[in-house]
Amino acid sequence: MAPPTPPSRSTQTSPEPDPHDDAHPALHPSVTSVPVTPGVHLAGGSAYIEPEDTREKSSLPFDPETATPGPSWNANSYFAPKGGEKDRPSSPTEVAKGAKSGEELLRRLSIIPDPSKQKHDLADVDPRAAHPGLNLSGRVISANFTVPYSIGYSPGNDWELNSRRGTSALFDSFSYLASASSPWNHVLVGWTGEIQELPSARPPSSASFRATTGHVQPNKAAAPIPVDASKPPPPPPEGIRIGRKDRDRLEQQLERDHGGKVVPVWLVDEKDEKTDTVLLKDQSRWRRYAEYELYTLFHYKVNAPADGRAARTSWANYYRMNKLFADRILELYQPGDIIFIHDFYLLLLPSLLRHRLPNIYIGFFLHVPFPSSEFYRCLSRRKEILEGLLGANMIGFQSYSYSRHFSSCCTRILGFDSSVAGVDAYGAHVAVDVFPIGINAAATQKQAYGDPVIEEKVKAIRELYANKRIIVGRDRLDSVRGVAQKLQAFEIFLEKYPEWHGKVVLVQVTSPSSVQPDKNEDNRVVNKISDLVARINGTYGSLAYAPVQHFPQYLDKEEYFALLRDADIGLITSVRDGMNTTSLEYVICQKENQGPLILSEFSGTAGFLAEAVHINPWDLGGVADAINQALQMTPEERKEQHTKLYKHVIENNVQAWTNNFLKRLMTNLSSFDQSFATPSLDLTRMLAQYKKAKRRLFMFDYDGTLTPIVKDPQAAIPSDRVIRTLKTLASDPANAVWIISGRDQAFLDEWMGHITELGLSAEHGSFMRHPRSDEWENLTEKTDMSWQSEVIDIFQHYTEKTQGSFIERKKIALTWHYRRADPEYGLFQARECQKQLEKTVGKKYEVEVMTGKANLEVRPRFVNKGEIAKRLVQAYGEGPDEAPDFVLCLGDDFTDEDMFRALRQSNLPNEHVFAVTVGASSKQTLASSHLVEPKDVISAISLLNGKSDAGNVGAVAVVEGSIPESRL
């Protein structure tokens, strides 16, 4: 492997989109580039990026002398560059060569900081040996929305890769997995992000170039050029075109120059198959649904109502993006790989992978908060999001409250049983657990205290704010970060405690948000903050003193660490937050000063850092009191608080978080049998096969499938939408549509008989009425029915004992219903009745006792829905051009399992058969897919009829390559 080639200083202009084109003037680079510490040089990158410099780097991706679990990265980098292949150990085995004891082996692998105090299980060293039954490959494939780099493109040249801002802890986790310190091999899969054309790629006068890269500096020396008005201006370029060679070059660069294998996902608008060229147009659209709908709602904000068209389009793009991620991962997948999926951009990915590989190992971690069910219910695609997540084997959250909210949503919205341990869904147990993420504590400490530039800046800040106590806040420009609440509380503090006037300064750094902002909200937040700063400084400041120093910018790494070291108080007032890593970095940087940390109880970090001073950011007076309390802490109190916080942050670092998550996932995989899991129906695959098929067979149950279960069976009449949907489906000459129900002939004739194209089967296959026929065929004409009198006697006995139960007499079967009875007592009586029937009638006659949805049914043993399904399939013939090439079978209860069994035993190819069980109960089934309720059934059938709705428009976009123009 060639050594990494850092970008030269001349290429350090970031290719990221310029966020300032339409932004508030206060966010313009001319304002945000002002240094916090005047008089000190501006070396370094941002507070989240390791600058590309020429300082010597270790050939290993960690410092063995100071490493805590995992490698010792730069705390603010994402991937530490690795040395040449000859210098880098190829595996943990190579690192372990020559170890004379188990303790030395663990120290070499950087798995324990103190071998005398900690014990490690086998999973820390060799996961495959620890869990032999899982047949692990030893590889983790991480799926993240973007790769760790902002990417610049110039045709035919090497791609420009600059570190991407944001989520440093997560990228440190990937760095750890890719290092020799981890027992895993690692691949990172992520979108390229918005690719930017470099200035050399097009003339600066290009309209497209201005649109994609932001401001273009005019050439002031250029004279005006006459324009011929008779000639139309040339059309602007329609986007960025990238050929196969350039795409391959990027993939090779990512694999060659950076730690671990990084595989890009190409999200394109068009692809020319002849030239193998892709076209990128509106690249930011892949973010819109996640950042405008999900991020907003997950942080307890609600968007203004709109007509629905934009939401429909953004949802379709969100679905397509997750589908393309699934395709890319499956290209790389090997049996035994663990798929580790991250955050709200990829909530559908677990289920999309589960559709294709039912036994795949999937862990998911949500880095942002999860809302309560009362708020989550406002999300229009609430069911699809939950179903997507439940494709994972284990789902992790930052705090217990977020995990509890998720489980509650699965119960309230999908009807699945749940507990604090997880959710029982689709025939399997999906584990739910809490894993507060940490930072690379050792690397953070080394950087904060090991750089002479930082020491110089620390000194400059102390001189700048001499004889003043410094309160530091560092937040994103987002209303949920609580900057306005912080300033208002500080204003109350100055009013309430005048003795601190001239003695305290609040240094507030506000950097641009990592998500695509709502510009109107952005401007409102900026204006609010600016007004508050001006008001506070105008009221309590003077020519020599400004109590608030506000810096709306990214900080250099050196300035960031210097501020954290110099601070007397860290103040975080988030009103809704996941894991706030600034608080963790503050604790590390306060090793000498031992300043107290004031932390919002609404941050995911609050439960993680119990020793901090917790505040409610909405209680402005309470925050003011907490500031005063923190300023008056004695050195002993500060030391006691900091010692506990420091120990916690050091021990619960990002490497430990990564290991703990994967070990818990493996434990859950070993503990719960996932082989019976039934994923949700893959609408994309179903629609694609339907369009290819020429001979299609449909078999639908009625109660609980086409219509909801109701207390009075006679009230379960089909809606107008159900009738119209079935009639449209059956009108296609290539479709044979059958209703196979436990209902009697009279009911089916009354409500379905007028659709002459439908085939009907009554009483679980005892009677059949073929399409375009009025005659019913009795398949049980010669059957001995003498058993019925004994069954009636037993049913009558239990009817008298069970208030609300009743008997339904059909021509062939007898059914005892208890859906109107008390649920618990009715179920108890049903079990007693079933035992009596099986001991008596079941032994004397060829009948079987079937349990259904709140009923018991006795029928001849040879009569079941499976026989009808078998008969219908065989009627086509068995030749390659005779058998149906699309079969959709839907049912909700035990009696429908016979149909699923018959289809499994047929010779039809698996990709042609869609056997779908319906209902929220987490049952083990012979079906291959799952839908939650009858409404989903009608939506799926409507999709085949060419009528997409907001829920299935994503499948249409994937199969047809376009999004239907509709708001419905």
Side-chain angles (χ1 to χ4, degrees), residues 72 86 352 377 440 505 593 651 850 871:
S72 179
K86 63 182 181 180
L352 292 173
R377 290 191 310 175
N440 193 333
V505 61
N593 202 30
E651 292 178 351
M850 305 293 294
R871 176 186 291 225

Side-chain angles (χ1 to χ4, degrees), residues 375-645:
F375 218 88
Y376 181 81
R377 290 191 310 175
C378 300
L379 189 66
S380 59
R381 304 270 60 84
R382 59 193 186 183
K383 284 171 54 179
E384 291 86 347
I385 294 296
L386 293 177
E387 290 170 346
L389 274 171
L390 289 172
N393 299 102
M394 186 178 79
I395 303 170
F397 296 90
Q398 297 277 18
S399 75
Y400 172 71
S401 63
Y402 303 158
S403 69
R404 182 168 50 83
H405 290 333
F406 173 77
S407 296
S408 174
C409 287
C410 290
T411 299
R412 291 171 180 260
I413 293 170
L414 298 181
F416 291 135
D417 292 334
S418 67
S419 66
V420 293
V423 181
D424 293 327
Y426 306 129
H429 178 77
V430 179
V432 174
D433 218 327
V434 179
F435 303 91
I437 196 170
I439 60 173
N440 193 333
T444 300
Q445 180 168 301
K446 181 181 178 183
Q447 287 201 358
Y449 288 93
D451 189 338
V453 176
I454 294 178
E455 299 297 333
E456 192 176 349
K457 286 180 178 281
V458 167
K459 182 179 178 183
I461 292 173
R462 287 174 182 166
E463 292 175 355
L464 185 64
Y465 303 116
N467 302 318
K468 294 180 180 63
R469 306 288 288 276
I470 302 173
I471 302 173
V472 167
R474 206 287 306 173
D475 303 276
R476 297 285 190 184
L477 183 61
D478 190 329
S479 60
V480 300
R481 305 300 176 184
V483 178
Q485 285 85 347
K486 182 185 303 185
L487 292 170
Q488 289 170 323
F490 185 66
E491 183 179 28
I492 292 176
F493 162 75
L494 292 174
E495 178 183 351
K496 195 172 182 178
Y497 300 100
E499 64 270 22
W500 289 107
H501 290 185
K503 300 178 182 178
V504 174
V505 61
L506 170 62
V507 180
Q508 174 62 41
V509 180
T510 310
S511 53
S513 176
S514 59
V515 300
Q516 197 174 68
D518 176 342
K519 293 192 183 298
N520 291 329
E521 182 189 358
D522 231 13
N523 291 338
R524 285 195 299 270
V525 174
V526 170
N527 289 333
K528 178 72 171 176
I529 292 173
S530 299
D531 291 345
L532 285 169
V533 171
R535 190 173 77 200
I536 295 170
N537 287 340
T539 304
Y540 299 101
S542 64
L543 290 176
Y545 166 65
V548 178
Q549 299 289 325
H550 181 227
F551 299 93
Q553 63 186 76
Y554 282 108
L555 290 187
D556 293 336
K557 177 197 69 173
E558 289 84 359
E559 289 186 327
Y560 176 66
F561 283 132
L563 262 183
L564 294 186
R565 284 181 54 183
D566 271 328
D568 294 284
I569 295 175
L571 180 58
I572 294 169
T573 54
S574 309
V575 296
R576 184 76 173 158
D577 203 359
M579 185 56 62
N580 189 299
T581 55
T582 299
S583 60
L584 308 181
E585 290 162 343
Y586 172 80
V587 169
I588 294 297
C589 291
Q590 286 288 307
K591 183 179 69 169
E592 295 177 349
N593 202 30
Q594 298 179 338
L597 172 65
I598 301 176
L599 181 60
S600 167
E601 64 186 53
F602 299 116
S603 168
T605 325
F608 180 64
L609 299 178
E611 292 78 14
V613 178
H614 290 178
I615 49 94
N616 175 1
W618 298 103
D619 177 10
L620 304 180
V623 178
D625 292 340
I627 294 173
N628 181 63
Q629 173 193 342
L631 288 170
Q632 293 183 337
M633 275 188 179
T634 65
E636 292 75 19
E637 290 172 331
R638 291 159 60 103
K639 181 178 180 180
E640 181 183 2
Q641 185 203 67
H642 181 266
T643 300
K644 295 176 181 178
L645 291 173

Side-chain angles (χ1 to χ4, degrees), residues 241-257:
R241 295 188 179 275
I242 305 175
R244 166 54 65 186
K245 288 185 178 179
D246 283 328
R247 301 201 304 276
D248 289 344
R249 184 182 296 111
L250 174 61
E251 298 189 17
Q252 291 165 7
Q253 274 185 254
L254 288 173
E255 186 170 354
R256 180 185 71 233
D257 292 348

